[in-house]
Coordinates of all heavy atoms in Angstrom, one line a residue:
L183 N 7.6 -4.1 -93.2 CA 6.3 -3.4 -93.0 C 5.4 -4.4 -92.3 O 5.1 -5.4 -92.8 CB 5.7 -2.8 -94.2 CG 6.5 -1.8 -95.0 CD1 5.7 -1.3 -96.2 CD2 7.0 -0.7 -94.2
V184 N 4.8 -4.0 -91.2 CA 3.8 -4.8 -90.5 C 2.6 -3.8 -90.3 O 2.6 -3.0 -89.3 CB 4.3 -5.3 -89.1 CG1 3.2 -6.1 -88.4 CG2 5.5 -6.3 -89.4
N185 N 1.7 -3.9 -91.2 CA 0.4 -3.1 -91.1 C -0.7 -4.0 -90.6 O -0.9 -5.0 -91.2 CB 0.1 -2.6 -92.5 CG 1.1 -1.6 -93.1 OD1 1.0 -1.1 -94.2 ND2 2.1 -1.2 -92.3
V186 N -1.3 -3.5 -89.6 CA -2.4 -4.4 -88.9 C -3.7 -3.6 -88.9 O -3.7 -2.4 -88.7 CB -2.0 -4.8 -87.5 CG1 -0.8 -5.8 -87.5 CG2 -1.6 -3.6 -86.7
M187 N -4.8 -4.3 -89.1 CA -6.1 -3.7 -89.3 C -7.1 -4.5 -88.3 O -7.0 -5.7 -88.2 CB -6.6 -3.8 -90.7 CG -8.0 -3.3 -91.0 SD -8.4 -3.4 -92.7 CE -10.2 -3.0 -92.7
C188 N -8.0 -3.7 -87.8 CA -9.0 -4.4 -86.9 C -10.4 -3.7 -87.3 O -10.4 -2.5 -87.6 CB -8.7 -4.2 -85.5 SG -9.9 -5.1 -84.4
L189 N -11.4 -4.5 -87.2 CA -12.8 -3.9 -87.3 C -13.6 -4.5 -86.2 O -13.4 -5.6 -85.7 CB -13.4 -4.2 -88.7 CG -13.8 -5.6 -89.1 CD1 -14.9 -5.5 -90.1 CD2 -12.6 -6.4 -89.7
G190 N -14.6 -3.6 -85.9 CA -15.5 -4.0 -84.8 C -16.9 -3.5 -85.1 O -17.1 -2.7 -86.1
I191 N -17.9 -3.9 -84.3 CA -19.3 -3.5 -84.6 C -19.9 -3.1 -83.3 O -19.5 -3.5 -82.2 CB -20.1 -4.6 -85.2 CG1 -20.1 -5.9 -84.3 CG2 -19.7 -5.0 -86.6 CD1 -21.0 -7.0 -84.8
A192 N -20.8 -2.2 -83.4 CA -21.6 -1.6 -82.2 C -22.9 -1.2 -82.7 O -23.1 -0.8 -83.9 CB -20.8 -0.4 -81.6
P193 N -23.9 -1.2 -81.8 CA -25.2 -0.7 -82.2 C -25.1 0.8 -82.4 O -24.3 1.5 -81.8 CB -26.1 -1.0 -80.9 CG -25.4 -2.0 -80.2 CD -23.9 -1.8 -80.5
R194 N -25.9 1.3 -83.4 CA -26.0 2.7 -83.6 C -26.3 3.5 -82.4 O -27.1 3.1 -81.6 CB -27.0 3.0 -84.7 CG -27.1 4.4 -85.2 CD -28.3 4.7 -86.0 NE -28.3 6.0 -86.6 CZ -27.9 6.3 -87.8 NH1 -27.6 5.3 -88.6 NH2 -27.9 7.5 -88.3
G195 N -25.6 4.6 -82.1 CA -25.8 5.4 -80.9 C -25.0 5.0 -79.7 O -25.1 5.6 -78.7
K196 N -24.3 3.9 -79.8 CA -23.5 3.4 -78.7 C -22.0 3.6 -78.8 O -21.3 3.1 -78.0 CB -23.8 1.9 -78.5 CG -25.2 1.5 -78.2 CD -25.6 2.0 -76.8 CE -27.0 1.6 -76.4 NZ -27.4 2.1 -75.1
L197 N -21.6 4.4 -79.8 CA -20.1 4.7 -79.9 C -19.6 5.6 -78.8 O -20.4 6.4 -78.3 CB -19.8 5.3 -81.3 CG -19.9 4.3 -82.5 CD1 -19.4 5.0 -83.7 CD2 -19.2 3.0 -82.2
A198 N -18.4 5.4 -78.5 CA -17.7 6.3 -77.5 C -16.8 7.3 -78.2 O -16.5 7.2 -79.3 CB -16.9 5.4 -76.5
R199 N -16.5 8.4 -77.5 CA -15.6 9.4 -78.0 C -14.4 9.5 -77.1 O -14.4 9.3 -75.9 CB -16.3 10.8 -78.1 CG -17.6 10.8 -79.0 CD -17.2 10.6 -80.4 NE -16.3 11.7 -80.9 CZ -16.7 12.8 -81.3 NH1 -18.0 13.2 -81.4 NH2 -15.8 13.7 -81.8
A200 N -13.3 9.9 -77.8 CA -12.0 10.1 -77.0 C -11.9 11.6 -76.6 O -11.2 12.4 -77.1 CB -10.8 9.8 -77.9
R201 N -12.7 11.9 -75.5 CA -12.7 13.3 -75.0 C -13.0 13.3 -73.5 O -13.6 12.4 -72.9 CB -13.8 14.1 -75.7 CG -15.2 13.5 -75.5 CD -16.2 14.2 -76.4 NE -17.6 13.7 -76.2 CZ -18.6 14.0 -77.0 NH1 -18.4 14.7 -78.1 NH2 -19.8 13.5 -76.7
A202 N -12.4 14.3 -72.9 CA -12.6 14.6 -71.5 C -13.4 15.9 -71.3 O -13.0 16.9 -71.8 CB -11.3 14.7 -70.7
R203 N -14.5 15.8 -70.7 CA -15.3 17.0 -70.5 C -16.2 16.9 -69.2 O -16.4 15.8 -68.7 CB -16.2 17.3 -71.7 CG -17.2 16.2 -72.0 CD -18.2 16.7 -73.1 NE -17.5 17.3 -74.2 CZ -18.1 17.7 -75.3 NH1 -19.5 17.6 -75.4 NH2 -17.5 18.3 -76.3
G204 N -16.6 18.0 -68.7 CA -17.4 18.0 -67.4 C -16.5 18.3 -66.3 O -15.9 17.3 -65.8
V205 N -16.4 19.5 -65.8 CA -15.5 19.9 -64.7 C -15.8 19.0 -63.5 O -16.9 18.9 -63.1 CB -15.6 21.4 -64.4 CG1 -14.8 21.7 -63.2 CG2 -15.2 22.2 -65.6
G206 N -14.7 18.5 -63.0 CA -14.8 17.6 -61.8 C -15.0 16.1 -62.1 O -14.8 15.3 -61.2
N207 N -15.3 15.8 -63.4 CA -15.3 14.4 -63.7 C -13.9 13.7 -63.5 O -12.9 14.4 -63.6 CB -15.8 14.2 -65.2 CG -17.3 14.4 -65.3 OD1 -18.0 14.3 -64.3 ND2 -17.8 14.7 -66.5
A208 N -14.0 12.4 -63.3 CA -12.7 11.7 -63.0 C -12.0 11.3 -64.2 O -12.6 10.9 -65.2 CB -13.1 10.5 -62.1
I209 N -10.7 11.3 -64.1 CA -9.8 10.7 -65.1 C -9.3 9.4 -64.5 O -8.6 9.3 -63.5 CB -8.6 11.6 -65.5 CG1 -9.1 12.9 -66.0 CG2 -7.7 10.9 -66.5 CD1 -9.9 12.8 -67.3
L210 N -9.7 8.3 -65.1 CA -9.5 7.0 -64.6 C -8.5 6.2 -65.5 O -8.7 6.0 -66.7 CB -10.9 6.2 -64.5 CG -10.9 4.9 -63.8 CD1 -10.6 5.0 -62.3 CD2 -12.2 4.2 -64.0
Y211 N -7.5 5.7 -64.8 CA -6.5 4.8 -65.5 C -6.9 3.4 -65.3 O -7.1 3.0 -64.1 CB -5.1 5.1 -64.8 CG -4.0 4.2 -65.2 CD1 -2.9 4.8 -65.9 CD2 -3.9 2.9 -64.9 CE1 -1.8 4.0 -66.2 CE2 -2.8 2.1 -65.2 CZ -1.8 2.7 -65.9 OH -0.7 1.9 -66.2
V212 N -7.0 2.6 -66.4 CA -7.4 1.2 -66.2 C -6.5 0.3 -67.1 O -5.9 0.7 -68.1 CB -8.9 1.0 -66.7 CG1 -9.8 1.8 -65.8 CG2 -9.1 1.3 -68.1
G213 N -6.4 -1.0 -66.6 CA -5.6 -1.9 -67.4 C -4.4 -2.4 -66.7 O -4.4 -2.7 -65.5
N214 N -3.3 -2.5 -67.5 CA -2.0 -2.9 -67.0 C -1.3 -1.8 -66.2 O -1.6 -0.7 -66.3 CB -1.2 -3.4 -68.2 CG -0.6 -4.8 -68.0 OD1 -0.5 -5.3 -66.8 ND2 -0.4 -5.5 -69.1
R215 N -0.2 -2.2 -65.5 CA 0.7 -1.3 -64.9 C 1.6 -0.6 -65.9 O 1.8 -1.2 -67.0 CB 1.4 -1.9 -63.7 CG 0.6 -2.2 -62.5 CD 1.4 -3.0 -61.5 NE 0.6 -3.1 -60.2 CZ 0.7 -2.2 -59.2 NH1 1.6 -1.3 -59.2 NH2 0.0 -2.4 -58.1
T216 N 2.2 0.5 -65.5 CA 3.1 1.2 -66.4 C 4.5 0.8 -66.1 O 5.0 0.8 -64.9 CB 2.9 2.7 -66.2 OG1 1.7 3.1 -66.7 CG2 4.0 3.5 -67.0
G217 N 5.3 0.5 -67.2 CA 6.7 0.1 -67.0 C 7.5 1.0 -68.0 O 7.0 1.9 -68.6
R218 N 8.8 0.6 -68.1 CA 9.7 1.4 -69.0 C 9.7 0.9 -70.4 O 10.4 1.4 -71.3 CB 11.1 1.4 -68.4 CG 11.2 2.2 -67.1 CD 12.7 2.3 -66.7 NE 12.9 3.3 -65.7 CZ 13.0 3.0 -64.4 NH1 12.9 1.7 -64.0 NH2 13.1 3.9 -63.5
D219 N 8.9 -0.2 -70.7 CA 8.9 -0.7 -72.1 C 8.2 0.3 -73.0 O 7.2 0.9 -72.7 CB 8.3 -2.1 -72.2 CG 6.9 -2.1 -71.5 OD1 6.7 -1.6 -70.4 OD2 6.0 -2.7 -72.2
G220 N 8.8 0.5 -74.2 CA 8.1 1.3 -75.2 C 8.4 2.8 -75.0 O 7.8 3.6 -75.8
I221 N 9.2 3.2 -74.1 CA 9.5 4.6 -73.9 C 10.1 5.2 -75.2 O 11.1 4.7 -75.6 CB 10.4 4.9 -72.7 CG1 9.6 4.6 -71.4 CG2 10.9 6.3 -72.7 CD1 10.4 4.7 -70.1
G222 N 9.5 6.2 -75.7 CA 10.0 6.9 -76.9 C 9.8 6.2 -78.2 O 10.4 6.5 -79.2
G223 N 8.9 5.2 -78.2 CA 8.6 4.4 -79.4 C 8.2 5.2 -80.5 O 8.6 5.0 -81.7
C224 N 7.3 6.2 -80.3 CA 6.8 7.0 -81.4 C 7.8 8.1 -81.9 O 7.8 8.5 -83.0 CB 5.4 7.6 -81.1 SG 5.5 8.7 -79.7
S225 N 8.6 8.6 -81.0 CA 9.5 9.6 -81.4 C 10.9 9.1 -81.8 O 11.6 9.6 -82.6 CB 9.7 10.6 -80.2 OG 10.2 10.0 -79.0
I226 N 11.4 8.0 -81.1 CA 12.7 7.5 -81.4 C 12.6 6.5 -82.5 O 13.5 6.5 -83.5 CB 13.3 6.8 -80.1 CG1 13.5 7.8 -79.0 CG2 14.6 6.1 -80.4 CD1 13.8 7.2 -77.7
L227 N 11.6 5.6 -82.5 CA 11.6 4.6 -83.6 C 10.8 5.0 -84.8 O 11.3 4.8 -85.9 CB 10.9 3.3 -83.0 CG 11.8 2.4 -82.1 CD1 11.0 1.1 -81.8 CD2 13.1 2.1 -82.8
A228 N 9.6 5.6 -84.6 CA 8.7 5.8 -85.7 C 8.9 7.2 -86.4 O 8.3 7.4 -87.4 CB 7.3 5.7 -85.2
S229 N 9.8 8.0 -85.9 CA 9.9 9.4 -86.5 C 11.4 9.7 -86.9 O 11.8 10.8 -87.0 CB 9.4 10.4 -85.5 OG 8.1 10.1 -85.2
Q230 N 12.2 8.6 -87.1 CA 13.5 8.8 -87.5 C 13.9 7.7 -88.5 O 13.2 6.7 -88.5 CB 14.5 8.8 -86.3 CG 14.3 9.8 -85.2 CD 15.2 9.6 -84.1 OE1 16.2 8.9 -84.2 NE2 14.9 10.3 -82.9
E231 N 14.9 8.0 -89.3 CA 15.4 6.9 -90.1 C 15.9 5.8 -89.2 O 16.3 6.0 -88.1 CB 16.6 7.4 -91.0 CG 16.1 8.1 -92.3 CD 17.1 8.3 -93.3 OE1 18.0 7.4 -93.5 OE2 17.1 9.4 -93.9
F232 N 15.9 4.6 -89.8 CA 16.0 3.4 -89.0 C 17.3 2.6 -89.1 O 17.7 2.4 -90.2 CB 14.8 2.5 -89.3 CG 14.7 1.2 -88.6 CD1 14.6 1.2 -87.2 CD2 14.8 0.0 -89.2 CE1 14.5 0.1 -86.5 CE2 14.7 -1.2 -88.5 CZ 14.6 -1.1 -87.1
A233 N 17.9 2.3 -88.0 CA 19.0 1.3 -88.0 C 18.8 0.4 -86.9 O 18.6 0.8 -85.8 CB 20.3 2.1 -87.9
E234 N 18.8 -0.9 -87.2 CA 18.6 -1.9 -86.2 C 19.6 -1.8 -85.1 O 20.8 -1.6 -85.4 CB 18.6 -3.3 -86.8 CG 17.4 -3.6 -87.7 CD 17.5 -5.0 -88.2 OE1 17.7 -5.9 -87.4 OE2 17.4 -5.2 -89.4
S235 N 19.2 -2.0 -83.9 CA 20.2 -1.8 -82.8 C 19.6 -2.5 -81.5 O 18.4 -2.3 -81.2 CB 20.5 -0.3 -82.5 OG 21.2 -0.2 -81.3
E236 N 20.5 -3.2 -80.8 CA 20.1 -3.7 -79.5 C 19.7 -2.6 -78.6 O 18.8 -2.8 -77.7 CB 21.2 -4.6 -78.9 CG 21.5 -5.9 -79.7 CD 20.4 -6.9 -79.5 OE1 19.8 -6.9 -78.4 OE2 20.1 -7.6 -80.4
E237 N 20.3 -1.4 -78.7 CA 20.0 -0.3 -77.8 C 18.6 0.2 -77.9 O 18.1 0.8 -77.1 CB 21.0 0.8 -78.1 CG 22.4 0.4 -77.8 CD 23.4 1.4 -78.3 OE1 23.0 2.4 -79.1 OE2 24.6 1.3 -78.0
K238 N 17.9 -0.1 -79.1 CA 16.6 0.4 -79.3 C 15.5 -0.7 -78.8 O 14.3 -0.4 -78.9 CB 16.3 0.7 -80.7 CG 17.1 1.9 -81.2 CD 16.7 2.4 -82.6 CE 17.5 3.7 -82.9 NZ 17.1 4.3 -84.2
R239 N 15.9 -1.8 -78.3 CA 15.0 -2.8 -77.9 C 14.1 -2.2 -76.7 O 12.9 -2.6 -76.7 CB 15.7 -4.1 -77.4 CG 16.2 -4.9 -78.6 CD 16.8 -6.2 -78.1 NE 17.3 -6.9 -79.3 CZ 16.6 -7.8 -80.0 NH1 15.4 -8.1 -79.6 NH2 17.1 -8.4 -81.0
P240 N 14.5 -1.4 -75.8 CA 13.6 -0.9 -74.8 C 12.5 -0.1 -75.4 O 11.5 0.2 -74.7 CB 14.5 0.0 -73.9 CG 15.9 -0.6 -74.1 CD 15.9 -1.0 -75.5
S241 N 12.6 0.4 -76.6 CA 11.5 1.2 -77.3 C 10.4 0.3 -77.8 O 9.5 0.8 -78.4 CB 12.1 2.1 -78.4 OG 12.9 3.1 -77.8
V242 N 10.6 -1.0 -77.7 CA 9.6 -2.0 -78.2 C 8.8 -2.4 -77.0 O 9.3 -2.9 -76.0 CB 10.3 -3.2 -78.9 CG1 9.2 -4.2 -79.3 CG2 11.2 -2.8 -80.0
Q243 N 7.5 -2.3 -77.2 CA 6.6 -2.7 -76.1 C 6.5 -4.2 -75.9 O 6.8 -5.0 -76.8 CB 5.2 -2.1 -76.4 CG 5.2 -0.6 -76.7 CD 5.2 -0.4 -78.2 OE1 5.8 -1.1 -78.9 NE2 4.5 0.7 -78.6
I244 N 6.0 -4.6 -74.7 CA 5.8 -6.0 -74.4 C 4.3 -6.2 -74.2 O 3.7 -5.5 -73.5 CB 6.6 -6.4 -73.1 CG1 8.0 -6.0 -73.3 CG2 6.4 -7.9 -72.9 CD1 8.8 -6.8 -74.4
G245 N 3.8 -7.2 -74.9 CA 2.3 -7.4 -74.9 C 1.9 -8.6 -73.9 O 2.6 -9.5 -73.6
D246 N 0.6 -8.5 -73.5 CA 0.0 -9.5 -72.7 C -1.4 -9.7 -73.2 O -2.3 -9.0 -72.7 CB 0.0 -9.1 -71.2 CG -0.6 -10.1 -70.3 OD1 -1.2 -11.1 -70.8 OD2 -0.5 -9.9 -69.0
P247 N -1.7 -10.7 -74.1 CA -3.0 -10.8 -74.7 C -4.1 -11.2 -73.7 O -5.2 -10.9 -73.9 CB -2.8 -11.9 -75.8 CG -1.6 -12.6 -75.3 CD -0.7 -11.6 -74.6
F248 N -3.7 -11.9 -72.7 CA -4.7 -12.4 -71.7 C -5.3 -11.1 -70.9 O -6.5 -11.1 -70.6 CB -4.2 -13.4 -70.8 CG -3.7 -14.7 -71.5 CD1 -2.4 -14.9 -71.7 CD2 -4.7 -15.5 -72.0 CE1 -2.0 -16.1 -72.4 CE2 -4.3 -16.7 -72.7 CZ -2.9 -16.9 -72.9
T249 N -4.4 -10.2 -70.6 CA -4.8 -9.0 -70.0 C -5.7 -8.2 -70.9 O -6.7 -7.6 -70.5 CB -3.6 -8.1 -69.5 OG1 -2.9 -8.8 -68.5 CG2 -4.1 -6.8 -69.0
E250 N -5.3 -8.2 -72.2 CA -6.1 -7.4 -73.2 C -7.5 -8.0 -73.3 O -8.5 -7.3 -73.5 CB -5.4 -7.5 -74.5 CG -6.2 -6.7 -75.6 CD -5.5 -5.5 -76.1 OE1 -4.7 -4.9 -75.4 OE2 -5.8 -5.1 -77.3
K251 N -7.7 -9.3 -73.3 CA -9.0 -10.0 -73.3 C -9.8 -9.5 -72.2 O -11.0 -9.1 -72.3 CB -8.9 -11.5 -73.3 CG -10.2 -12.2 -73.2 CD -11.1 -11.9 -74.4 CE -12.4 -12.7 -74.3 NZ -13.4 -12.3 -75.3
C252 N -9.3 -9.4 -71.0 CA -10.0 -8.9 -69.8 C -10.4 -7.5 -70.0 O -11.4 -7.0 -69.6 CB -9.2 -9.1 -68.5 SG -8.9 -10.9 -68.1
L253 N -9.4 -6.7 -70.6 CA -9.6 -5.3 -70.8 C -10.8 -5.1 -71.8 O -11.6 -4.1 -71.6 CB -8.4 -4.6 -71.3 CG -8.4 -3.1 -71.5 CD1 -8.6 -2.4 -70.2 CD2 -7.1 -2.6 -72.1
I254 N -10.9 -5.9 -72.8 CA -12.0 -5.8 -73.8 C -13.3 -5.9 -73.0 O -14.2 -5.1 -73.2 CB -11.9 -6.8 -74.9 CG1 -10.7 -6.5 -75.8 CG2 -13.1 -6.9 -75.7 CD1 -10.3 -7.6 -76.8
E255 N -13.4 -7.0 -72.3 CA -14.7 -7.3 -71.6 C -15.1 -6.2 -70.6 O -16.2 -5.8 -70.4 CB -14.7 -8.7 -71.0 CG -14.5 -9.8 -72.0 CD -15.4 -9.8 -73.2 OE1 -16.6 -9.4 -73.0 OE2 -15.0 -10.1 -74.3
A256 N -14.1 -5.8 -69.8 CA -14.3 -4.9 -68.7 C -14.7 -3.5 -69.3 O -15.6 -2.8 -68.8 CB -13.1 -4.7 -67.9
T257 N -14.0 -3.1 -70.4 CA -14.3 -1.8 -71.0 C -15.7 -1.8 -71.6 O -16.5 -0.8 -71.5 CB -13.3 -1.5 -72.2 OG1 -12.0 -1.5 -71.6 CG2 -13.6 -0.2 -72.8
L258 N -16.1 -2.8 -72.3 CA -17.5 -2.9 -72.9 C -18.5 -2.9 -71.8 O -19.6 -2.2 -71.9 CB -17.6 -4.1 -73.8 CG -16.8 -4.1 -75.1 CD1 -16.9 -5.4 -75.8 CD2 -17.2 -3.0 -76.0
E259 N -18.2 -3.6 -70.7 CA -19.2 -3.5 -69.5 C -19.3 -2.2 -68.9 O -20.3 -1.7 -68.6 CB -18.7 -4.6 -68.5 CG -19.7 -4.7 -67.3 CD -19.2 -5.8 -66.4 OE1 -18.4 -6.7 -66.8 OE2 -19.7 -5.8 -65.2
A260 N -18.1 -1.5 -68.8 CA -18.1 -0.1 -68.2 C -18.9 0.9 -69.1 O -19.6 1.7 -68.7 CB -16.7 0.3 -68.0
L261 N -18.6 0.7 -70.4 CA -19.3 1.6 -71.4 C -20.8 1.5 -71.3 O -21.6 2.4 -71.5 CB -18.8 1.4 -72.8 CG -17.4 1.9 -73.1 CD1 -16.9 1.3 -74.4 CD2 -17.3 3.4 -73.1
A262 N -21.3 0.2 -71.1 CA -22.7 -0.1 -71.0 C -23.4 0.6 -69.8 O -24.6 0.8 -69.9 CB -22.9 -1.6 -71.0

Side-chain angles (χ1 to χ4, degrees):
L183 299 185
V184 176
N185 294 175
V186 292
M187 176 180 170
C188 184
L189 70 154
I191 57 175
R194 186 190 185 101
K196 295 295 184 179
L197 287 188
R199 298 294 301 274
R201 60 190 183 190
R203 58 172 50 175
V205 175
N207 283 341
I209 301 299
L210 188 68
Y211 173 116
V212 301
N214 233 335
R215 287 177 171 262
T216 294
R218 289 190 170 96
D219 53 314
I221 290 177
C224 62
S225 58
I226 297 172
L227 283 186
S229 301
Q230 300 176 16
E231 282 193 36
F232 181 59
E234 293 181 48
S235 169
E236 291 291 326
E237 295 168 353
K238 291 190 175 182
R239 286 182 182 270
S241 294
V242 179
Q243 308 95 324
I244 305 299
D246 180 351
F248 299 105
T249 296
E250 179 116 333
K251 174 59 178 173
C252 294
L253 185 62
I254 291 172
E255 301 306 326
T257 299
L258 292 174
E259 186 177 338
L261 290 170

